[in-house]
């Protein structure tokens, strides 16, 4: 991952949110390792003023930095949320301080995590990567097709949705609102997916949701697991135009959505007890990634916000935007996967 640009304020422990006032807050005891997504955190802190971003503060998965537009919003959030159980974040007691910005030179590339080029090297069951899944000519046509259609602008990237709209506020789709068939310009991809090695040949026919993401140079994606109840087991992602690194994180022994450690009783759990596994893969343009089984259900995926990546000792510049086509099948019943700790259908917070 990229090192966060914001760190814990000097002075270490103690409550009270001491330290220099700042629009950025360091928030401990919430994050993906304890079942709280960056989107949920953004939505709660957004109640105090416009939030510019939510970033991992370190590798624990349980500490974040929330960046507000203004100091007044940060102060209001700190005063309201520090040291109190937050009902909208699973009842957890948050520890909130002002955060300090690190000098840019401390921002590290790839954070010394080796970046692999083949999925088998990551040893994550259910993760596959096929290089050169489409030709440069096909890539050009796909880019022209989406550039011809309207984009929706999010804070840092643009998206298009086909089949069903993906809602970022709920991280889900409305399965009752079908927008129509997937566009004909992706038919050849669906056909090719049917010969994806090791998959049942019908696996293409049911894919009914497509999200196209356009990431400007240096923009990534927060760590997340695609909501289990939203989509079935196979998630295909085709990379176009520019490359990126995708990092996979698995929190072992952690507290994911577990009632006894979710802070309902006001206890602070110790994310230090949860072991984090991290692995990274390089996704070149025209490659197709498949997340299935454990890779889809139990590993967070994450695109670090880098302009440069180091792959096998070579510096790879993200010199162009990256466009991805993510194909999924909308789920219509509850998820019954084998990973209940990570499953919104099988876990309850209260
Ligand atoms: O850009 C990608 O390849 C991944 C997108 C993604 O993870 C998502 O839309 O959930
Ligand atoms: Fe995803």
């Amino acid at each position: 991952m990229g090192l966060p640009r914001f760190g814990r304020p000097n002075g270490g422990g103690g409550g009270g949110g001491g330290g220099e006032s700042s629009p950025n807050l360091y928030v401990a005891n919430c994050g993906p390792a304890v079942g709280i997504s960056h989107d949920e955190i953004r939505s709660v802190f957004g109640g105090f003023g416009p939030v510019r971003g939510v970033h991992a503060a370190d590798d624990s998965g349980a500490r974040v930095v929330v960046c507000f537009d203004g100091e007044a919003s940060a102060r209001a959030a700190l005063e309201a949320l520090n040291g109190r159980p937050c009902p909208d974040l699973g009842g957890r007691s948050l520890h909130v301080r002002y955060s300090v910005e690190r000098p840019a030179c401390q921002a590290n590339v790839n954070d010394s995590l080796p970046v692999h080029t083949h999925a088998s090297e990551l040893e994550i069951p259910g993760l596959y990567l096929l290089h050169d899944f489409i030709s440069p000519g096909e890539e050009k046509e796909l880019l022209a097709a989406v550039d011809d259609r309207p984009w929706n602008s999010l804070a840092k990237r643009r998206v298009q949705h086909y089949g069903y709209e993906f809602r970022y506020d709920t991280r889900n789709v409305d399965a009752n609102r079908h927008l129509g068939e997937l566009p004909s310009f992706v038919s050849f991809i669906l056909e090719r997916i049917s010969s994806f090695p090791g998959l049942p040949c019908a696996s293409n026919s049911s894919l009914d949701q497509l999200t196209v993401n356009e990431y400007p140079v240096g923009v990534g994606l927060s760590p997340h697991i695609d909501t289990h109840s939203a989509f079935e087991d196979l998630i295909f992602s085709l990379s176009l135009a520019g490359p990126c690194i995708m990092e996979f994180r698995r929190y072992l022994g952690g507290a994911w959505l577990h009632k006894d450690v979710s802070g309902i009783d006001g206890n602070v759990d110790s994310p230090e007890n949860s072991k984090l596994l991290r692995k990274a893969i390089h996704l070149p343009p025209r490659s197709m990634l498949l997340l299935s089984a454990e890779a889809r259900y139990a590993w967070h995926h994450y695109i670090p916000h880098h302009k440069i990546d180091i792959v096998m000792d070579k510096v790879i510049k993200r010199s162009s935007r990256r466009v991805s086509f993510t194909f999924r099948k909308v789920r219509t019943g509850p998820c019954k996967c084998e990973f209940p700790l990570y499953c919104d259908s099988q876990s309850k917070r209260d």
Side-chain angles (χ1 to χ4, degrees):
M1 64 171 280
L3 261 190
R5 278 194 306 114
F6 300 93
R8 184 203 295 260
N10 294 334
E20 238 173 82
S21 171
S22 144
N24 310 310
L25 297 177
Y26 178 91
V27 185
N29 202 28
C30 71
V34 291
I36 297 173
S37 71
H38 285 193
D39 288 339
E40 288 172 286
I41 297 166
R42 176 190 272 270
S43 136
V44 167
F45 280 78
F48 298 91
V51 170
R52 241 188 283 162
V54 176
H55 310 280
D58 54 35
D59 286 345
S60 68
R63 291 183 277 262
V64 297
V65 172
V66 178
C67 302
F68 282 98
D69 270 352
E71 286 186 14
S73 316
R75 174 169 296 278
L78 187 147
E79 286 173 3
L81 299 176
N82 183 37
R84 299 205 182 97
C86 180
D88 294 330
L89 293 176
R92 307 186 69 76
S93 279
L94 306 184
H95 298 268
V96 189
R97 317 266 188 76
Y98 290 116
S99 178
V100 288
E101 194 160 359
R102 294 172 191 223
C105 61
Q106 285 184 22
N108 205 345
V109 175
N110 288 0
D111 197 14
S112 74
L113 183 65
V115 177
H116 297 282
T117 51
H118 292 87
S120 58
E121 295 160 356
L122 279 77
E123 297 182 333
I124 300 179
L127 182 73
Y128 301 90
L129 179 69
L130 291 188
H131 292 94
D132 298 311
F133 191 80
I134 58 169
S135 70
E138 290 166 336
E139 175 186 36
K140 221 167 145 187
E141 280 172 24
L142 289 171
L143 289 170
V146 288
D147 280 334
D148 229 21
R149 290 164 184 244
W151 290 96
N152 300 325
S153 291
L154 305 181
K156 293 200 173 148
R157 63 185 203 277
R158 301 193 299 174
V159 294
Q160 296 180 15
H161 299 291
Y162 297 94
Y164 294 86
E165 183 189 3
F166 182 75
R167 303 256 324 250
Y168 294 92
D169 51 350
T170 56
R171 295 206 59 77
N172 214 316
V173 292
D174 181 350
N176 296 317
R177 273 197 63 212
H178 189 212
L179 304 174
E181 299 302 306
L182 297 190
S184 56
F185 60 81
V186 297
S187 301
F188 77 96
I189 303 176
L190 297 175
E191 198 152 309
R192 224 164 273 176
I193 281 175
S194 64
S195 47
F196 207 96
L199 288 185
C201 43
S203 52
N204 69 329
S205 56
S206 53
L207 296 170
D208 56 7
Q209 199 274 336
L210 165 64
T211 294
V212 183
N213 276 291
E214 182 203 51
Y215 304 87
V217 172
V219 169
L221 192 64
S222 303
H224 67 280
I225 297 177
D226 288 28
T227 310
H228 288 203
S229 63
F231 302 112
E232 299 273 358
D233 8 0
L234 304 181
I235 299 179
F236 293 89
S237 192
L238 180 66
S239 293
L240 306 172
C244 77
I245 296 300
M246 186 171 277
E247 185 177 316
F248 292 90
R249 295 174 169 190
R250 177 136 191 217
Y251 299 94
L252 296 172
W256 232 94
L257 298 180
H258 230 218
K259 187 176 177 183
D260 54 346
V261 282
S262 66
I264 297 294
D265 55 3
N267 279 347
V268 179
D269 69 13
S270 50
E272 290 81 5
N273 291 343
S274 75
K275 190 164 175 260
L276 172 66
L277 297 179
R278 294 169 62 208
K279 317 215 178 186
I281 193 164
H282 176 231
L283 303 181
R286 299 182 293 286
S287 64
M288 177 67 98
L289 180 78
L290 167 59
L291 305 183
S292 66
E294 185 179 318
R296 181 264 181 273
Y297 288 123
W299 290 74
H300 287 71
H301 49 281
Y302 164 50
I303 302 175
H305 301 264
H306 289 168
K307 288 196 170 152
I308 286 173
D309 294 304
I310 296 179
V311 181
M312 314 285 276
D313 291 334
K314 257 180 56 194
V315 171
I316 302 207
K317 272 196 180 168
R318 291 200 204 159
S319 49
S320 116
R321 67 173 174 165
R322 172 172 176 267
V323 176
S324 66
F325 282 45
T326 302
F327 296 90
R328 302 175 278 208
K329 157 103 179 97
V330 168
R331 194 187 284 281
T332 49
C335 176
K336 297 182 179 148
C337 70
E338 293 167 19
F339 303 93
L341 278 183
Y342 306 92
C343 181
D344 61 309
S345 290
Q346 299 179 64
S347 302
K348 285 210 174 73
R349 288 188 194 195
D350 49 22

